[in-house]
């Protein structure tokens, strides 16, 4: 899983032209954007020091130096934190957390939000738990066991491009968040395997991964074309689950009285009457029961878990 500090710094300095930072642009240039010596000059460090930093030999780089480089390269707060993680990688023999549990209290919270599509996102963009309306909107329970993963769905499910009318934006956001995860856990073999699989199977993923964009998943908008109720224009809010590292509770929102809120109420009403959406078709309760009650109304579901409190996916 290629994710080195040199790759990141080269991608960022290639986007800044000398004249943008007050340097002369005359003469033939072999590289696009700023040269390494120009970044070093503007950051107030020696060229040798900056070269060692790009080569991954700057493990002792101070916050002051990294902040100076971030300022020269015009990194935002998330990018600057990503630079620090890459320049001073955490020492983790196992590449980060292994199996994760979604607390009973978190599942109960999902259940107590019946009018809000909500789910818990974990490491590597695995979807660990969801409530009934979150499942009705996203169809988590219809996906194969062990594959309830937002990145796989976005890039490997042919239906995703219709499901997300703004697929390009969703794809870019997905890769940017995975890049951030890779910076925090550079030795994670499961993340490396996921990135490798997506790179082999998706040309779009390879292109976006090579761009080295990083982005936190905090809030935003999500446009969905639902197979039953049509267009759903959501906002979303992402909340960290305190005491559960790397777990995020994602909730979709819609203003009261909006077309999306009305369609969501219709979907919730239909679901409460015993229907179940599986992919692009409707399945009644008898057919749904054959799926082991995977999306029973009013119950938050956890992938890979049996009784409440069971382990979630890796």
């Amino acid at each position: 899983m290629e994710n080195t500090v040199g790759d990141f710094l080269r991608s960022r300095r290639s986007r800044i032209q000398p004249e943008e930072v007050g340097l002369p642009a005359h003469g033939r240039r072999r590289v696009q954007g700023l040269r390494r010596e120009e970044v070093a000059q503007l950051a107030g460090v020696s060229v040798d020091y900056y070269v060692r930093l790009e080569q991954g030999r700057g493990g002792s780089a101070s916050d002051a130096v990294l902040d100076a480089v971030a300022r020269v390269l015009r990194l935002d707060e998330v990018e600057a934190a990503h630079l620090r993680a890459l320049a001073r990688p955490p020492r983790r023999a196992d590449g980060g957390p292994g199996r994760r549990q979604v607390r009973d209290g978190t599942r109960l919270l999902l259940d107590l939000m019946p009018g809000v599509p909500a789910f818990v996102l974990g490491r590597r963009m695995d979807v660990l738990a969801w409530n009934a309306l979150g499942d009705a909107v996203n169809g988590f329970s219809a996906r194969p066991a062990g594959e309830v993963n937002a990145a796989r769905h976005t890039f490997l499910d042919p239906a995703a491009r219709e499901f997300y009318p703004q697929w390009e934006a969703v794809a870019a956001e997905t890769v940017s968040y995975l890049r951030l995860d890779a910076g925090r856990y550079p030795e994670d073999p499961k993340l490396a395997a996921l990135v490798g699989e997506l790179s082999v199977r998706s040309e779009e993923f390879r292109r976006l991964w090579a761009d080295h964009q990083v982005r936190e998943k905090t809030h935003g908008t999500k446009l969905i074309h639902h197979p039953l109720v049509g267009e759903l224009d959501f906002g979303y809010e992402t909340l960290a689950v305190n005491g559960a590292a790397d777990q995020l509770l994602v909730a979709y929102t819609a203003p009261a009285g909006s077309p999306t809120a009305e369609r969501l109420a219709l979907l919730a009403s239909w679901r409460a009457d015993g229907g179940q959406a599986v992919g692009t078709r409707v399945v009644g309760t008898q057919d749904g029961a054959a799926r082991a009650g995977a999306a029973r109304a009013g119950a938050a579901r956890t992938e890979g878990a049996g009784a409440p409190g069971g382990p979630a996916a890796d």
Side-chain angles (χ1 to χ4, degrees):
M1 178 177 57
E2 156 271 321
N3 195 43
T4 69
V5 63
D7 293 324
F8 180 66
L9 288 173
R10 284 189 291 272
S11 74
R12 288 303 173 267
R13 62 183 173 88
S14 71
R15 301 180 185 199
I16 300 177
Q17 300 307 311
E19 57 268 25
E20 295 179 47
V21 291
L23 295 176
H26 57 75
R28 185 174 180 179
R29 303 178 68 87
R30 293 184 300 170
V31 298
Q32 182 179 359
L34 295 178
R35 300 186 179 106
R36 289 183 295 189
E37 56 267 28
E38 291 169 336
V39 177
Q41 173 190 340
L42 293 168
V45 300
S46 71
V47 175
D48 180 66
Y49 189 95
Y50 180 78
V51 170
R52 284 189 282 115
L53 179 62
E54 275 205 5
Q55 291 175 341
R57 297 186 290 125
S60 60
S62 67
D63 284 341
V65 168
L66 296 178
D67 287 346
V69 171
R71 172 181 52 78
V72 171
L73 298 180
R74 302 181 178 181
L75 305 186
D76 62 25
E77 184 177 344
V78 175
E79 291 172 321
H82 185 62
L83 171 61
R84 288 191 289 272
L86 293 176
R88 298 184 303 218
R91 299 181 181 274
R92 294 188 180 97
D94 63 353
R99 296 185 69 81
R100 285 298 185 185
Q101 289 188 346
V102 178
R103 293 195 304 260
D104 290 347
T106 304
R107 288 202 196 89
L108 179 59
L109 179 60
L110 289 172
D111 272 345
L112 293 175
M113 302 166 62
V116 178
F119 55 93
V120 175
L121 194 68
R123 286 289 319 284
R124 314 171 196 98
M125 302 196 78
D126 285 335
V127 182
L128 304 179
W130 52 83
N131 64 9
L133 198 52
D135 190 22
V137 169
N138 292 284
F140 296 130
S141 62
R143 301 177 196 172
E147 295 187 15
V148 190
N149 177 278
R152 280 196 179 95
H153 175 248
T154 300
F155 287 97
L156 303 184
D157 186 344
R161 291 176 185 268
E162 182 177 354
F163 187 70
Y164 297 122
Q166 298 172 335
W167 184 88
E168 290 81 5
V170 173
E173 178 186 273
T174 298
V175 174
S176 297
Y177 186 74
L178 275 184
R179 267 284 182 197
L180 206 59
D181 200 25
R184 291 166 177 163
Y185 299 100
E187 302 301 324
D188 182 353
K190 292 180 179 177
L191 179 56
L194 175 62
V195 170
E197 176 190 6
L198 295 175
S199 297
V200 168
R201 299 178 62 184
S202 171
E203 180 180 352
E204 292 92 341
F205 180 87
R206 290 195 301 273
R207 175 179 57 80
L208 290 167
W209 185 256
D211 203 32
H212 290 270
Q213 294 289 343
V214 290
R215 179 180 175 184
E216 281 280 15
K217 189 176 181 66
T218 55
H219 66 280
T221 60
K222 188 82 72 175
L223 185 64
I224 289 173
H225 181 78
H226 194 275
L228 296 177
V229 295
E231 186 173 289
L232 298 170
D233 190 359
F234 290 118
Y236 71 80
E237 295 291 332
T238 302
L239 309 174
V241 180
N242 289 332
D246 304 307
Q247 289 186 13
L248 303 174
L249 193 154
V250 182
Y252 289 169
T253 61
S258 66
T260 294
E262 294 173 358
R263 290 167 187 157
L264 195 60
L266 178 64
L267 184 61
S269 174
W270 168 81
R271 176 105 177 187
D273 288 339
Q276 177 180 345
V278 178
T280 58
R281 64 192 182 95
V282 178
V283 181
T285 53
Q286 290 184 349
D287 196 3
R291 297 177 179 271
R296 190 167 60 247
R301 282 291 169 260
T302 303
E303 182 196 359
D314 284 12

